[in-house]
């Protein structure tokens, strides 16, 4: 929509009203995010050296970026969620430290996207996420409160960071656990979630090359040893 769309007689009133509403919503989100960064002290938090809590989170929270990019050169986030011990992480470092760590991961992803956009002259706002559910069990229900706290912090402050969410190797219990988490997601995020028990490789290949997909998921990528295996 051109900047002078509101004065363009060919721009129909319903379209004009929708555009104005979208701009107002985007402005409100931007102002709210700026206020959060200031009140939370996030810029100083992000710039600080790695804390002992961050080091423990990096060791035990199985979340990272794949060695290879997607088909457009964007980073691909990979979480071995089925192998994660969220109650153990919360016990060791506390809820706030974990949420702060995840917020910093989001900020790093945005920094990578900005660098990619500057390099290629493109608009980059999000990347794909693969969530591997191998190993998921009833014990993971105890981690839902921590996961919910993380979502409460990151969803409103890092909107549109996710392009697609691929939940793979989901066991039968995933449906019950997802029913607890689904109400915490905004509609935009929930609509991006694709769930697979098996035969997920064709879906991944629509957005990333085989060489970027971890070998454990049937790709030709490496073992991604830099990403924690959980515990």
């Amino acid at each position: 929509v051109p900047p002078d769309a509101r004065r363009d007689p060919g721009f129909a009133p319903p379209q004009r009203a929708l555009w104005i509403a979208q701009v107002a919503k985007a402005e409100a989100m931007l102002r709210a995010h700026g206020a959060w960064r200031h009140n939370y002290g996030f810029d100083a938090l992000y710039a600080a050296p790695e804390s002992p809590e961050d080091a423990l989170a990096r060791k035990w929270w199985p979340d990272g970026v794949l060695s290879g990019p997607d088909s457009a050169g964007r980073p691909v986030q990979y979480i071995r969620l089925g192998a994660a011990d969220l109650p153990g992480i919360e016990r060791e470092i506390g809820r706030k430290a974990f949420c702060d760590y995840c917020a910093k991961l989001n900020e790093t992803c945005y920094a990578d996207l900005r660098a990619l956009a500057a390099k290629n002259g493109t608009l980059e706002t999000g990347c794909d996420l693969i969530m591997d559910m191998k190993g998921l069990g009833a014990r993971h229900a105890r981690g839902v409160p921590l996961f919910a706290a993380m979502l409460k912090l990151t969803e409103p402050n890092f909107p549109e960071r996710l392009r697609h969410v691929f939940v793979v190797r989901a066991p039968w219990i995933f449906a019950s656990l997802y029913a607890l988490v689904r109400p915490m997601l905004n509609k935009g995020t929930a609509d991006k979630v694709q769930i697979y028990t098996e035969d997920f490789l064709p879906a991944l290949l629509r957005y990333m090359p085989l060489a970027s997909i971890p070998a454990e998921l049937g790709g030709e990528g490496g073992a991604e040893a830099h990403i924690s295996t959980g515990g």
Side-chain angles (χ1 to χ4, degrees), residues 53 89-99 146:
E53 291 80 8
I89 292 173
E90 182 171 16
R91 182 179 62 250
E92 293 299 320
I93 69 173
R95 183 168 296 185
K96 183 180 185 302
F98 175 72
C99 292
L146 179 60

Side-chain angles (χ1 to χ4, degrees), residues 1 5-6 11-26:
V1 179
R6 283 179 287 183
F11 196 49
Q15 294 175 308
R16 185 162 55 246
L18 177 60
W19 177 74
I20 293 172
Q22 289 173 335
V23 170
K25 181 179 179 181

Side-chain angles (χ1 to χ4, degrees), residues 10-11 21 46 58 67 84-85 88 117 122 128 130 135 174 176 178 187 197 201 223:
F11 196 49
Y46 184 70
R58 179 166 49 80
S67 300
D85 178 11
T122 55
D128 291 337
I130 304 173
F174 173 79
S176 298
Y178 187 56
K187 185 179 184 302
T197 55
L201 200 55

Side-chain angles (χ1 to χ4, degrees), residues 36-78:
W36 171 77
R37 292 184 80 99
H38 174 75
N39 295 332
Y40 204 81
F42 183 72
D43 291 331
L45 181 69
Y46 184 70
E50 183 180 61
S51 67
E53 291 80 8
D54 287 342
L56 279 171
R58 179 166 49 80
K59 180 178 180 180
W60 295 112
W61 173 235
D63 180 354
V65 175
L66 295 181
S67 300
D70 73 2
S71 300
R74 291 178 290 257
V76 178
Q77 185 183 5
Y78 183 40

